[in-house]
């Protein structure tokens, strides 16, 4: 039955979509990229079907790769787009702008940790890397981000 085949994907969507979208927004700084990347990742997951063991991890990994591709094609923008569907204070946008200045991998691990709420081993599974590599990236990203934000305060 078709509905039974789609059940794991519908459940993954219900469980993760809102948090994934917010993480993608923080990562990209663009609501349109966040929406497109999340939608495309879920659509690709459905097309792959039973070939995916961990739907949540696969969707997060795919969504971040899609968003990174959009950013690489020149999709980055600073400041909130006028049609942004979420309320955010000016300091939140300063943080998103600072995030745009760290490496893509550092931005991924920061967002997955602090917006997604994942542990280093969970992030490693989503990014197909080791937990040690995630911890090093987090350390470097936090240091860089702290320096960027302190420079803004001066």
């Amino acid at each position: 039955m078709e509905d039974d085949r789609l059940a794991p994907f519908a459940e993954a969507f219900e469980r993760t979509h809102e948090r994934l979208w917010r993480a993608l927004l923080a990562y990209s700084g663009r609501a349109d990229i966040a929406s497109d990347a999340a939608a495309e990742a879920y659509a690709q997951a459905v097309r792959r079907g039973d070939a995916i063991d961990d739907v949540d991890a696969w969707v997060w990994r795919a969504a971040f790769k899609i968003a990174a591709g959009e950013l690489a094609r020149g999709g980055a923008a600073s400041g909130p787009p006028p049609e942004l569907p979420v309320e955010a204070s000016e300091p939140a946008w300063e943080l998103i702008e600072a995030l745009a200045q760290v490496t893509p991998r550092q931005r991924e691990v920061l967002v997955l940790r602090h917006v997604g709420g994942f542990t280093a081993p969970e992030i490693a599974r989503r990014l197909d890397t080791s937990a040690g590599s995630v911890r090093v990236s987090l350390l470097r990203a936090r240091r860089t981000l702290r320096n960027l934000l302190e420079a803004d305060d001066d």
Side-chain angles (χ1 to χ4, degrees):
M1 176 180 248
E2 189 72 18
D3 290 340
D4 290 341
R5 189 182 75 76
L6 295 177
F9 303 102
E11 292 166 4
F13 181 86
E14 288 298 318
R15 234 184 355 263
T16 64
H17 181 262
E18 183 178 339
R19 189 167 47 142
L20 173 62
W21 186 87
R22 289 184 183 283
L24 290 166
L25 175 64
Y27 175 75
S28 68
R30 296 268 307 270
D32 58 335
I33 290 176
S35 295
D36 291 350
E40 182 60 25
Y42 286 110
Q44 287 182 20
V46 169
R47 284 193 297 271
R48 292 178 188 266
D50 294 336
I52 299 173
D53 293 327
D54 184 343
V55 176
D56 291 359
W58 193 94
V59 166
W60 278 78
R61 183 171 45 252
F64 272 82
K65 284 182 180 179
I66 293 165
E70 287 298 312
L71 290 172
R73 282 189 285 283
S78 63
E83 74 286 353
L84 191 67
V86 295
E87 300 251 344
S89 65
E90 186 61 32
W93 284 109
E94 289 173 8
L95 176 59
I96 289 173
E97 288 176 356
L99 281 169
Q101 297 178 57
V102 301
T103 69
R105 177 52 61 122
Q106 290 175 350
R107 191 167 54 246
E108 281 178 322
V109 298
L110 278 168
V111 168
L112 288 170
R113 176 68 189 106
H114 296 289
V115 178
F118 296 107
T119 63
E122 291 169 331
I123 294 168
R125 192 168 53 253
R126 280 160 178 75
L127 298 180
D128 199 26
T129 189
S130 70
S133 174
V134 168
R135 287 182 188 98
V136 169
S137 291
L138 276 170
L139 177 71
R140 290 178 179 162
R142 287 174 179 144
R143 184 179 304 138
T144 301
L145 199 57
R146 183 174 34 252
N147 290 338
L148 287 167
L149 293 172
E150 286 174 355
D152 283 348
D153 285 344
D154 292 342

